[in-house]
Amino acid sequence: MLSAISCIRQRASTATAQHLIVNRHIFRLATNNKQQRLSTSSAPKPEDSQDTPNTVEWKLRGGKKSGRNFIDRMRCTATGGHGGDGCVSFFRDVFVPRGPPNGGDGGSGGSVWFEVDENETSLSCVKQQLRAQPGGNGRGKTMHGSGGSDLVVKVPRGTMVRQITNTQELAQEQKEEGFLDILDNQIRDETTRRMMEKKALFVHYPRWEDRNDLKQVRVPAEVRAHLWALRHGEPLTADLTTHGQRVLVAGGGLGGLGNPHFNSANDRQPHYALRGLAGHTRLLDLELKTIADVGLVGMPNAGKSTFLRAVSNAHPQVAPYPFTTLNPYIGTVDYSDSWQLTIADIPGLIPGAHRNIGLGHSFLRHVERSRLLVFVVDVARPAPWADYQALRTELELYRPGLTERPAVVVANKADAGPMARDNFTRWQRMISDGTPLVPVSAKYRKNILKATHTIRQVLVAADNNTH
């Protein structure tokens, strides 16, 4: 007995020693792997010429930030909530074995709305999939289903909404299970197609699907109208320019009718009710065009952001390299008599921007709504008038007639040296169309009051001529 106990103890101690050796080995392997990962992560990475800081590609991806927050064009899918099904139910009591129908109606699905909010400045607040709440199903004892809540999406002022039609993506998204699937072109028999469509519109009592005779049942007019709108509705187009303006982008589906609505002299016990209908589904293209009284246009690194900081309450980023500004900034200029105007800082344009070279169309669209164009030109560069003509050419090629709007030329960096003063004097003699030319130093805020006064004069004169 004692020998057996000692043998068991010896085996247990041997197993414990082996277990400790294995754990020590695992710990050493884990330590070595951790040191290798640390040494790999601390090794210098090769520089990529296309991913270096201060390049346009690097900044469009967000640079050091988590991502680019400004979005001025996107696509989204808006779907109204599905309507709830009607209920097939009958009144039952102790002495009433076959009572009248008492099924409740289904609730209507919610709708998707766009509402203008002046506090929003980007389309980043809009999700790619917008779906309203569906309606609740009807229940017995004439209990109607609850209606789905509407989905109200806030969008910035200046958003243009356009529905995309005749696309494979939209056709795929608009396919619904039930009555829309049976409209396939492969069904050639018109009578069979209509009967299948009508049959799919109804929900049946258990084990009564084949016994219900729907030939004499008439589909309500509002249901037929909703089905027609789903297939042949007009494309949606809207321009949202006013704070609080609303537009319906996807209507909700109708709720189904309970079986009491189909009670007639020929059928006192209808064992069927109407299904809820699908809501509208639209594939939308959203485009934001900034709304401002004045639009700043200029080459990269011409001092537009510095000028906006000097004349308004906006604080865009300022740095001594091109393409510092990657999205429009809007500032408000306050005058001494409480008169105000808004100025939009449009990112820099380069030759060929009308062909979408550089950042091209991403920013030219923001100039379209400005009533006055202010060309900010670096007068310290050789031949600044050539830059001015290049900007006008790009705007005219992008949208003919855009350069016919009132304009003011701001000759920035006029205090940069003798070359800047000589260029300004020469440019003054070259101007023949009467466009105001104002020298300023945005960095040191020199002659800023004259620039803002000139902008106001030209803007008021333009408004008076329009009216």
Side-chain angles (χ1 to χ4, degrees):
M1 184 69 180
L2 293 176
S3 61
I5 294 175
S6 61
C7 182
I8 293 174
R9 289 180 177 177
Q10 184 177 3
R11 290 180 181 178
S13 60
T14 303
T16 305
Q18 292 178 354
H19 183 69
L20 292 176
I21 294 173
V22 171
N23 287 345
R24 189 180 297 109
H25 182 65
I26 294 175
F27 177 76
R28 288 177 179 176
L29 289 177
T31 306
N32 294 335
N33 292 337
K34 184 176 180 181
Q35 292 177 354
Q36 290 179 0
R37 288 197 302 267
L38 292 176
S39 60
T40 303
S41 61
S42 60
K45 296 182 180 180
E47 291 293 335
D48 187 359
S49 59
Q50 301 296 329
D51 198 28
T52 56
N54 299 337
T55 60
V56 177
E57 293 80 4
W58 183 80
K59 289 187 287 186
L60 282 177
R61 287 194 296 271
K64 298 180 180 179
K65 299 180 181 180
S66 59
R68 188 183 179 205
N69 295 323
F70 182 81
I71 299 176
D72 56 0
R73 187 160 192 174
M74 66 171 297
R75 287 185 177 183
C76 66
T77 302
T79 305
H82 202 291
D85 296 339
C87 179
V88 182
S89 175
F90 299 93
F91 177 75
R92 295 288 185 267
D93 204 352
V94 178
F95 301 104
V96 186
R98 294 177 56 86
N102 66 347
D105 300 340
S108 300
S111 302
V112 181
W113 295 80
F114 280 171
E115 182 178 356
V116 180
D117 187 358
E118 60 184 7
N119 297 321
E120 298 290 345
T121 58
S122 171
L123 294 176
S124 59
C125 56
V126 182
K127 297 181 179 179
Q128 292 186 347
Q129 296 291 335
L130 305 174
R131 187 179 296 273
Q133 184 180 6
N137 296 332
R139 296 192 290 178
K141 299 182 180 179
T142 322
M143 291 189 292
H144 303 310
S146 59
S149 301
D150 291 344
L151 176 62
V152 181
V153 182
K154 304 291 184 179
V155 296
R157 195 164 65 101
T159 302
M160 297 186 66
V161 183
R162 182 178 62 88
Q163 181 181 354
I164 302 175
T165 57
N166 298 328
T167 61
Q168 184 177 2
E169 295 84 1
L170 183 60
Q172 185 66 25
E173 291 178 10
Q174 282 188 335
K175 278 191 175 182
E176 296 285 343
E177 296 182 358
F179 62 89
L180 286 182
D181 287 342
I182 64 173
L183 297 179
D184 197 342
N185 294 328
Q186 298 178 359
I187 302 178
R188 300 182 179 181
D189 189 354
E190 186 68 17
T191 303
T192 304
R193 187 188 65 81
R194 290 183 178 178
M195 288 306 300
M196 290 179 63
E197 181 181 8
K198 180 182 290 187
K199 190 174 183 179
L201 285 173
F202 289 89
V203 56
H204 303 271
Y205 198 73
R207 297 186 297 275
W208 275 75
E209 184 173 357
D210 297 331
R211 299 168 60 182
N212 286 329
D213 186 10
L214 303 177
K215 293 182 179 180
Q216 303 299 326
V217 179
R218 183 174 179 81
V219 179
E222 59 270 17
V223 174
R224 287 185 276 118
H226 185 82
L227 293 178
W228 186 92
L230 285 177
R231 304 165 193 162
H232 311 288
E234 292 293 330
L236 174 65
T237 302
D239 190 4
L240 307 178
T241 58
T242 308
H243 176 68
Q245 180 181 355
R246 270 193 174 195
V247 62
L248 177 65
V249 296
L254 296 178
L257 302 178
N259 59 338
H261 292 272
F262 302 98
N263 190 8
S264 63
N266 298 328
D267 189 0
R268 308 297 288 179
Q269 295 284 320
H271 288 74
Y272 51 86
L274 197 63
R275 291 185 183 274
L277 302 183
H280 290 264
T281 297
R282 287 191 171 103
L283 180 61
L284 304 175
D285 182 70
L286 307 182
E287 183 178 3
L288 174 61
K289 295 183 178 180
T290 305
I291 298 179
D293 299 324
V294 179
L296 299 181
V297 183
M299 294 289 185
N301 207 26
K304 301 181 297 299
S305 299
T306 307
F307 180 76
L308 183 65
R309 291 171 64 101
V311 302
S312 70
N313 57 355
H315 299 282
Q317 182 182 359
V318 176
Y321 50 79
F323 294 107
T324 307
T325 303
L326 290 177
N327 54 270
Y329 284 88
I330 298 180
T332 303
V333 182
D334 297 315
Y335 290 84
S336 58
D337 57 350
S338 300
W339 198 77
Q340 292 182 337
L341 61 84
T342 54
I343 297 182
D345 177 19
I346 310 300
L349 304 177
I350 62 175
H354 69 282
R355 299 194 304 269
N356 208 18
I357 296 178
L359 301 179
H361 295 171
S362 300
F363 302 129
L364 280 172
R365 69 170 63 99
H366 296 285
V367 190
E368 298 181 23
R369 297 182 185 270
S370 299
R371 294 184 293 157
L372 174 67
L373 300 178
V374 174
F375 295 89
V376 181
V377 182
D378 184 0
V379 77
R381 285 169 48 88
W385 44 87
D387 295 342
Y388 171 64
Q389 292 298 332
L391 293 172
R392 291 181 59 88
T393 301
E394 292 299 325
L395 294 179
E396 187 66 24
L397 292 175
Y398 171 72
R399 184 173 296 277
L402 193 58
T403 57
E404 297 178 1
R405 299 183 184 181
V408 175
V409 179
V410 174
N412 193 24
K413 305 179 185 180
D415 60 340
M419 183 178 179
R421 290 192 294 268
D422 296 341
N423 287 339
F424 177 75
T425 304
R426 183 179 176 184
W427 197 358
Q428 272 187 319
R429 295 194 296 264
M430 296 172 59
I431 291 182
S432 59
D433 57 356
T435 303
L437 179 62
V438 184
V440 300
S441 175
K443 181 178 181 179
Y444 299 103
R445 304 195 176 190
K446 295 181 179 179
N447 214 24
I448 295 298
L449 291 179
K450 182 178 180 181
T452 55
H453 181 69
T454 304
I455 292 173
R456 177 178 178 177
Q457 281 185 331
V458 175
L459 189 60
V460 171
D463 293 340
N464 293 335
N465 293 334
T466 303
H467 299 301

